[in-house]
Amino acid sequence: MKRTLLALLLSATSTAALAADNVCLSEKYDAYVEASMHWYEDLTSLTSEQYPELKEVSQWFLDGRRNHFDLNAAAVKYYLDNDPAKIALQKPVEAWLQLEQKEIKILASRSDELGQIAAKSFADRQSKQHPKNYELRSAFADLLSHPTKIDSALKRYNSSIAKVESMTCP
């Protein structure tokens, strides 16, 4: 009887600790997503300022990035709770989750919230490129090749990522 009670108590404690770890890990990944989105917002803003004719394609690009990161954040939460082996916690946070196109397609067929989020990202990947996508990529390359133009945005991103990487989860 005592052994059964002790086993139940240890199991409950272990489950509660795992749930707390998953919350912490989800928050860490969410902080990574937020830092990444701020970087892309800064990059598209700088691009639109320098190349006003690329404002629309910059927004298109930013929307695609948002859909991508929304899916990854939702998938990390889901996999932490349901299939932790899919999350590579031994790697840097940006490499925790690697979803292949076929996996996104499978997720997109689900009828739950994760499926709806995956469907947006899958649709982005399947859609035709924006007509000015090449011009946008060229503008990004131009900006990125002039460090002084992106210095404050890059410092902000690097600082945010350093904070994310310093987060420890029990």
Side-chain angles (χ1 to χ4, degrees), residues 4-18:
T4 304
L5 184 58
L6 182 59
L8 286 172
L9 182 59
L10 287 175
S11 175
T13 303
S14 170
T15 302
L18 184 59

Side-chain angles (χ1 to χ4, degrees), residues 9-48:
L9 182 59
L10 287 175
S11 175
T13 303
S14 170
T15 302
L18 184 59
D21 287 352
N22 286 354
V23 168
C24 179
L25 292 168
S26 290
E27 289 173 353
K28 183 172 182 169
Y29 197 81
D30 287 345
Y32 157 70
V33 166
E34 184 177 333
S36 297
M37 281 309 303
H38 284 306
W39 162 250
Y40 285 115
E41 288 165 355
D42 287 345
L43 186 60
T44 56
S45 177
L46 289 167
T47 301
S48 294

